[in-house]
C-alpha cells in the first residue's frame, strides 16, 4: 500500500518543525474514532490495530513515513521528508524548539544500552534519575579533535545545562572559574562532614553560551577525563533527555548514552 497525491489531497496539511511519538499519539487520541486501523510505515511495519492499541505504541522509526488507514482510506500521514503532517481533521498543533526533532533522530539511530559495569545504575544513584527509565546508546565517529566535535554536538543538540557529582575537588575550582569567566549561572553544593569525604554537586547553565565557551568547558572536562560522569540536559517537546558522553573518540570508540522518561512511560524499541 502506497500513498500518492490522490491519497492525501483531501487531508489537511500541517508544516511542523519538531514532532515525536508522544505528540503523534496525542493527536491520534483527538482525531481518530474508536475502531480498527491499518498502521504502516511503508518499510517494515504493517499491522491492524484497534485505537487503544495504537495509543500504546512504544516506538516507531520516525525517519520513515507513517500512515494510518481506516477501511483502506488514508486518515493520517506523517511525512518526515517534507516535515509535514496530514490529517483528515483540523487539529491544533503546538510545536517548539529545533529544526529537527532530537528524539526523532536519536531514537531511530540508537539501541538499548547494556553495560556490564552497571554504569546506568551508578548514574541513576548519583543524579536521582528514575530507576525504571529506558537507557539507550548511540555511536560517535572517530575524530581528531574530540573537544571541538563534542562542543559542536552539544550546541547542535540544544544542551541547556550540565551537572556533575565530584568526589574530590581537583576540578571544582576550574569549573567555578569557567562559570564566572563566561557569566554562566551556576550552583555548587557540598555534603559530607570531613574534607576527605565531601561530595560536590555542580550545576551550570550553558543555554546562552557560545561554541567557543562550550569548547573551553569540554576541553576542561577532557583534560580531567571526567566524560562519563557528566550529565548534559536536553529539553525536548515532552520532557528532558539526560545525556552522557563516553569512550575514546580519537580511537573511534566514542559513544553517547541517554536516559529518557515521559509521564511514567518507558521508551522502548518494542511495540
Amino acid at each position: 500500500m502506497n500513498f500518492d497525491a490522490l491519497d492525501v489531497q483531501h487531508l489537511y496539511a500541517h508544516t511542523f518543525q519538531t514532532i515525536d511519538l508522544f505528540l503523534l499519539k496525542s493527536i491520534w487520541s483527538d482525531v481518530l474514532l474508536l475502531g480498527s486501523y491499518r498502521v504502516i510505515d511503508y518499510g517494515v511495519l504493517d499491522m491492524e490495530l484497534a485505537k487503544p492499541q495504537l495509543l500504546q505504541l512504544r516506538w516507531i522509526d520516525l525517519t520513515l513515513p507513517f500512515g494510518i488507514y481506516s477501511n483502506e482510506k488514508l486518515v493520517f500521514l506523517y511525512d518526515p521528508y517534507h516535515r509535514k503532517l496530514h490529517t483528515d481533521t483540523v487539529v491544533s498543533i503546538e510545536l517548539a524548539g529545533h529544526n529537527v526533532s532530537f528524539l526523532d533522530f536519536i531514537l531511530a539511530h540508537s539501541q538499548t544500552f547494556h553495560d556490564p559495569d552497571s554504569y546506568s545504575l551508578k548514574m541513576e544513584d548519583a543524579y536521582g534519575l528514575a530507576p525504571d527509565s529506558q537507557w539507550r546508546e548511540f555511536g560517535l565517529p572517530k575524530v581528531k579533535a574530540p573537544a571541538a566535535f563534542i562542543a559542536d554536538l552539544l550546541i547542535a543538540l540544544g544542551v541547556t545545562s550540565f551537572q556533575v557529582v565530584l568526589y574530590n575537588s581537583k576540578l571544582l575550582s576550574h569549573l567555578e572559574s569557567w562559570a564566572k569567566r563566561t557569566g554562566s549561572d551556576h550552583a555548587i553544593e557540598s555534603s559530607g562532614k570531613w574534607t576527605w569525604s565531601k561530595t560536590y554537586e555542580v550545576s551550570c547553565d550553558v543555554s546562552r553560551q557560545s561554541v567557543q565557551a562550550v569548547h573551553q568547558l569540554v576541553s576542561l572536562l577532557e583534560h580531567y577525563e571526567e566524560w562519563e560522569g557528566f550529565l548534559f540536559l536536553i529539553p525536548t517537546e515532552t520532557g528532558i533527555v539526560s545525556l552522557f558522553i563516553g569512550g575514546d573518540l580519537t580511537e573511534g570508540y566514542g559513544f553517547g548514552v541517554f536516559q529518557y522518561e515521559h509521564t511514567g512511560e518507558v521508551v522502548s524499541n518494542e511495540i
Side-chain angles (χ1 to χ4, degrees):
M1 181 182 295
N2 296 309
F3 65 88
D4 54 30
L6 294 177
D7 291 321
V8 301
Q9 66 180 359
H10 69 284
L11 299 180
Y12 295 97
H14 310 271
T15 300
F16 56 87
Q17 290 183 304
T18 60
I19 202 162
D20 64 22
L21 180 56
F22 301 112
L23 180 56
L24 288 181
K25 286 162 66 174
S26 175
I27 297 170
W28 298 338
S29 179
D30 292 337
V31 304
L32 298 180
L33 301 175
L34 287 176
S36 179
Y37 295 92
R38 186 176 185 183
V39 180
I40 184 171
D41 66 4
Y42 310 97
V44 295
L45 179 65
D46 188 353
M47 61 179 65
E48 291 283 341
L49 295 174
K51 180 178 177 178
Q53 295 173 308
L54 183 59
L55 297 179
Q56 291 174 3
L57 279 174
R58 290 285 185 112
W59 185 86
I60 57 175
D61 186 348
L62 292 179
T63 64
L64 296 174
F66 187 85
I68 299 177
Y69 291 81
S70 176
N71 296 322
E72 300 301 313
K73 175 187 176 184
L74 184 65
V75 295
F76 180 94
L77 173 67
Y78 167 87
D79 180 358
Y81 307 129
H82 298 95
R83 307 300 296 173
K84 285 187 176 182
L85 186 71
H86 303 268
T87 66
D88 63 351
T89 306
V90 177
V91 294
S92 176
I93 305 174
E94 294 184 7
L95 298 164
H98 319 299
N99 291 331
V100 176
S101 172
F102 173 66
L103 287 180
D104 278 4
F105 178 83
I106 205 169
L107 285 177
H109 295 85
S110 63
Q111 63 241 355
T112 300
F113 175 61
H114 298 288
D115 188 281
D117 297 324
S118 298
Y119 173 81
S120 58
L121 295 179
K122 291 187 291 185
M123 294 301 102
E124 286 169 5
D125 181 63
Y127 291 102
L129 301 175
D132 58 350
S133 297
Q134 180 76 14
W135 287 75
R136 296 182 68 83
E137 176 183 18
F138 59 94
L140 293 174
K142 182 177 181 179
V143 295
K144 294 182 179 179
F149 171 79
I150 294 297
D152 288 338
L153 178 67
L154 297 182
I155 292 292
L157 295 180
V159 169
T160 58
S161 60
F162 74 86
Q163 298 176 2
V164 67
V165 177
L166 300 173
Y167 296 95
N168 72 58
S169 60
K170 67 177 183 178
L171 181 58
L172 185 63
S173 60
H174 295 286
L175 286 175
E176 190 169 15
S177 176
W178 175 87
K180 290 180 178 179
R181 185 173 65 254
T182 59
S184 178
D185 293 335
H186 66 288
I188 300 173
E189 297 182 9
S190 62
S191 58
K193 186 175 182 180
W194 309 106
T195 301
W196 56 269
S197 64
K198 279 187 176 295
T199 297
Y200 302 91
E201 298 180 12
V202 183
S203 59
C204 201
D205 178 9
V206 296
S207 60
R208 296 181 295 276
Q209 296 302 328
S210 65
V211 176
Q212 181 182 5
V214 176
H215 189 179
Q216 293 171 354
L217 169 65
V218 173
S219 298
L220 183 61
L221 307 185
E222 186 182 37
H223 175 75
Y224 281 95
E225 299 180 348
E226 293 284 353
W227 281 128
E228 297 188 9
F230 259 76
L231 167 63
F232 298 97
L233 299 176
I234 305 170
T236 70
E237 299 86 346
T238 55
I240 299 291
V241 168
S242 301
L243 172 68
F244 300 87
I245 303 295
D248 188 340
L249 277 72
T250 59
E251 296 297 324
Y253 302 122
F255 60 88
V257 178
F258 71 96
Q259 176 263 5
Y260 184 78
E261 60 175 318
H262 173 75
T263 59
E265 294 189 67
V266 177
V267 171
S268 171
N269 59 352
E270 299 176 354
I271 294 175

